């Protein structure tokens, strides 16, 4: 991943677009190209291109309502001598700061650095955020889990019709939005494991419910993934001495019911499964400290079923 600073986005995408829009707006106010060049700090030839040519602009900046309002305000102020260079700079900086706070600059930055996608990055606004580091670790765990699953021989046979998902929760998770998982679930195509997207928070329902239920009893059990219920897989787990629990397949109050069973047992098992019901496919959940740990355990158990 190439390192690109948000300031580069501002210099290469935002400011050129603003100059084009301001030049055209100032021209509409009757200013000469030389006057416009003096206001914008560019050459008269550049202004000519802005006004009469077909310069490249970044559409997400140019078409944003806040951009239009700022350009109109600055152009009016400069044209009517109600705004000096300091005021104009302040207005443009205000726009840039707004766009750096989960605005189009963030979108452009994430495209330039795909590793930022889904992180809710706010470095431009708030600096280094310890909470963001924790979120990154959680997302990295799900990415690692996805890689493990995608490279596990024979796993396709254990992916349910509804797909597989893997999740890791934040340490103090309270809701599904605190659990990272794969949007759209992991599925099988041509007997290969396909991971459709990078992990995001809030991308899972059932895996997240299982993790949250486990955390009510054992807060460190923050990872899980689902597979099709398979007797050979369960047998391999029993041979490993893993703790296994069966539960009712119904969706209603599933999280509460799982929490109650875990509390009655006094611990969270390594594997929980159900045999399905009308309209509900039999599913097994493998739980561990992180989604990556759960995926590695699954890889070992799948290998054991084939030995």
């Amino acid at each position: 991943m190439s390192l690109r600073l948000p300031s580069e986005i501002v210099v290469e995408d935002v400011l050129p677009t603003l100059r084009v829009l301001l030049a055209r707006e100032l021209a509409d106010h009757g200013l000469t190209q030389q006057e416009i060049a003096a206001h914008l700090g560019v050459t008269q030839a550049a202004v000519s291109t802005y006004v009469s040519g077909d310069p490249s602009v970044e559409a997400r900046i140019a078409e944003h309502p806040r951009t239009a309002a700022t350009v109109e305000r600055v152009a009016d102020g400069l044209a009517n001598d109600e705004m000096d260079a300091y005021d104009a700079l302040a207005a443009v900086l205000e726009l840039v700061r707004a766009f750096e706070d989960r605005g189009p600059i963030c979108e452009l930055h994430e495209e330039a650095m795909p590793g930022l996608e889904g992180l809710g990055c706010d470095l431009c606004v708030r600096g280094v955020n310890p909470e963001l580091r924790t979120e990154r670790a959680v997302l990295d765990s799900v990415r690692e889990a996805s890689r493990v699953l995608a490279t596990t021989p024979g796993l396709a046979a254990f992916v349910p019709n509804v797909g597989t998902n893997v999740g890791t929760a934040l340490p103090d998770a309270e809701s599904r939005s605190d659990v990272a998982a794969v949007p759209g679930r992991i599925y099988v195509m041509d007997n290969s494991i396909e991971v459709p997207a990078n992990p995001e928070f809030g991308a899972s329902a059932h895996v997240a419910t299982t993790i949250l239920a486990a955390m009510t009893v054992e807060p460190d059990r923050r990872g899980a993934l689902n597979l099709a219920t398979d007797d050979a897989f369960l047998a391999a787990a029993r041979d490993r001495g893993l703790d296994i629990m069966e539960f009712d397949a119904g969706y209603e109050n599933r999280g509460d019911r799982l929490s109650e069973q875990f509390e009655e047992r006094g611990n969270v098992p390594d594997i929980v499964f159900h045999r399905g019901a009308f309209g509900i496919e039999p599913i097994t959940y493998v739980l561990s400290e992180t989604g990556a740990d759960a995926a590695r355990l699954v890889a070992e158990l799948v290998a054991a079923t084939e030995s």
Side-chain angles (χ1 to χ4, degrees):
M1 177 180 68
S2 61
L3 180 65
R4 193 176 185 198
L5 298 176
S7 56
E8 295 180 71
I9 304 294
V10 174
V11 170
E12 297 173 14
D13 297 309
V14 179
L15 290 182
T17 296
L18 291 178
R19 288 192 179 106
V20 171
L21 299 179
L22 279 168
R24 292 173 177 175
E25 190 72 19
L26 288 167
D28 289 343
H29 280 75
L31 274 69
T32 67
Q33 290 187 359
Q34 195 60 48
E35 289 172 328
I36 296 171
H39 280 306
L40 299 184
V42 298
T43 65
Q44 185 271 330
V47 173
S48 178
T49 300
Y50 296 161
V51 175
S52 305
D54 186 24
S56 176
V57 297
E58 171 50 58
R60 280 163 288 192
I61 301 298
E63 297 170 4
H64 198 285
R66 188 155 186 167
T67 299
T70 299
V71 167
E72 182 177 355
R73 178 161 61 94
V74 171
D76 285 345
L78 292 175
N80 298 319
D81 292 325
E82 296 173 354
M83 183 179 284
D84 60 17
Y86 180 90
D87 295 327
L89 178 62
V92 170
L93 282 173
E94 181 183 5
L95 178 67
V96 169
R97 293 292 177 261
F99 283 173
E100 286 178 337
D101 192 1
R102 305 314 307 155
I105 289 178
C106 295
E107 184 178 347
L108 293 167
H109 199 196
E110 287 176 353
E111 288 183 6
M113 294 185 63
L116 297 175
E117 292 179 9
L119 293 181
C121 171
D122 56 4
L123 284 172
C124 297
V125 181
R126 298 174 182 86
V128 177
N129 186 341
E131 292 182 0
L132 181 58
R133 292 187 184 276
T134 301
E135 292 179 6
R136 288 183 59 188
V138 167
L139 291 165
D140 286 344
S141 168
V142 179
R143 289 192 187 92
E144 181 183 354
S146 299
R147 288 193 293 269
V148 170
L149 296 176
T151 57
T152 296
L155 182 71
F158 298 89
V159 174
N161 294 326
V162 297
T164 286
N165 212 334
V166 56
T168 301
L170 292 169
D172 299 317
E174 296 180 352
S175 68
R176 285 169 46 185
S177 63
D178 297 323
V179 181
V182 178
R185 300 187 182 183
I186 298 168
Y187 57 89
V188 175
M189 180 175 288
D190 296 330
N191 207 38
S192 296
I193 302 298
E194 298 290 332
V195 182
N198 285 322
E200 296 178 4
F201 284 96
S204 165
H206 303 309
V207 168
T209 295
T210 304
I211 292 173
L212 292 170
M215 290 180 67
T216 62
V217 177
E218 293 184 21
D220 290 338
R221 288 272 190 155
R222 299 190 291 114
L225 66 83
N226 72 300
L227 299 170
T229 295
D230 180 273
D231 287 332
F233 183 90
L234 294 176
R238 291 189 181 95
D239 289 342
R240 282 277 301 269
L242 297 178
D243 191 6
I244 301 174
M245 183 191 87
E246 185 172 0
F247 70 100
D248 182 80
Y251 290 128
E252 186 175 359
N253 299 322
R254 176 180 286 185
D256 293 336
R257 290 188 288 105
L258 281 171
S259 294
E260 290 174 2
Q261 283 187 259
F262 296 158
E263 289 173 0
E264 289 175 2
R265 293 167 52 96
N267 74 307
V268 175
D270 303 300
I271 294 175
V272 298
F273 74 96
H274 65 71
R275 295 289 184 181
F278 181 75
I280 301 177
E281 187 177 7
I283 295 293
T284 293
Y285 294 92
V286 178
L287 297 103
S288 195
E289 292 186 358
T290 68
D293 293 331
R296 286 189 286 268
L297 176 56
V298 164
E300 294 173 6
L301 294 175
V302 168
T305 66
E306 298 180 343
S307 60

